[in-house]
Amino acid sequence: MLKILVCVSGGGTNLQAIIDSVNQGAITDTEIVRVISNNKNAYALERAKKAGIPAVCVSPKDYADREQFNEAFLKAVDEAAPDLIVLAGFLVVIPVQLIRRYENRIINIHPSLIPSFCGTGYYGLKVHEGVLARGVKITGATVHFVDEGTDTGPIIMQKAVAVQEDDTPEVLQRRVMEEAEWIILPWCINLIACGKVTVADGKVHISE
Ligand code: GRF
C-alpha cells in the first residue's frame, strides 16, 4: 500500500481527481494518509474533510520566521510517514531538508510543457498568461519529481493541450486542468504505486 500525502494551497481540483481515482480504483493500492494546506481557507481542506482524509493547515503566517515554519512543516510531513508526497497546486517553496530526505519521493504537477513557461514566477494564472502572450499553439501539463531547483526535476509524464484563438488565461487554465492535469497526475501516482517508475541519471523510466 502506497501511503501518499497531498500538499495543496487552493481549490483542490487536483486533490479531488486523486481522491476520485483512488475511490474508483484507477489508482490502485494507495491510501491518502494526510492533506496539508498552507492556507486555512483553501477549499481543498473541505474536499479532504468530505472524503474523510485527515487534513491540517501549516501556514508560514503562523510562524515567526521561515525556519520555524519549515520545522513545523517537516514535522507535519514526517508524522504522516508518507511513501510519496504529491504537490497538487502547492504554492509554498518546499524546505530543502525535505527535498533531500524524500529524494525521488516528491512529485509536482506544473501546468505547462516543461521546460517552457516554468521556473521562478511561473505559477497559477501567470503560466497561462505567458503562454498566451507568446502565442504558442500547444501547451499542456507536466508531472515531475521535485529536486532542489524550480520545476527542474526528472519529468515523469506530459500531456499536450491545444491553445485556442480566443482563450483567456482562465479559460486556458481550465482546459489544461480538464484535458491534462486531472488525467496525468492520478495516472503517475498509480504508476508509482505499481512500482513502475524509476529514475536514473536524472531521467525517468516507466516499465511496461
Ligand atoms: C493547477 O493548475 C496546478 O497545476 C497549479 O495550480 C493549480 C491548482 O489547482 N500549480 P487546484 O488547487 O488543484 O484546483
Side-chain angles (χ1 to χ4, degrees), residues 64-170:
D65 56 34
R66 201 68 192 183
E67 210 171 301
Q68 286 183 31
F69 164 74
N70 284 349
E71 219 170 277
F73 186 75
L74 277 164
K75 189 160 169 272
V77 170
D78 284 342
E79 273 169 9
D83 300 310
L84 180 72
I85 300 169
V86 180
L87 309 182
F90 192 54
L91 297 177
V92 172
V93 176
I94 296 292
V96 72
Q97 305 99 291
L98 190 83
I99 296 172
R100 289 180 187 155
R101 192 175 305 171
Y102 289 84
E103 193 187 8
N104 293 335
R105 290 194 292 147
I106 309 177
I107 64 172
N108 180 50
I109 177 89
H110 182 77
S112 77
L113 294 175
I114 290 174
S116 290
F117 309 104
C118 65
T120 308
Y122 279 116
Y123 59 89
L125 273 182
K126 291 187 191 302
V127 175
H128 307 290
E129 284 164 7
V131 164
L132 294 177
R134 184 62 185 84
V136 298
K137 307 300 185 196
I138 302 283
T139 183
T142 303
V143 178
H144 63 92
F145 283 109
V146 173
D147 66 7
E148 291 182 33
T150 306
D151 302 328
T152 52
I155 291 171
I156 307 169
M157 192 176 288
Q158 299 187 293
K159 190 169 187 295
V161 174
V163 180
Q164 310 284 350
E165 288 258 316
D166 53 356
D167 273 345
T168 62
E170 290 79 6

Side-chain angles (χ1 to χ4, degrees), residues 10-15 88-89 109-111 124 128 173 177 181:
T13 60
N14 278 292
L15 169 65
I109 177 89
H110 182 77
H128 307 290
Q173 179 181 51
M177 285 179 168
E181 294 182 44

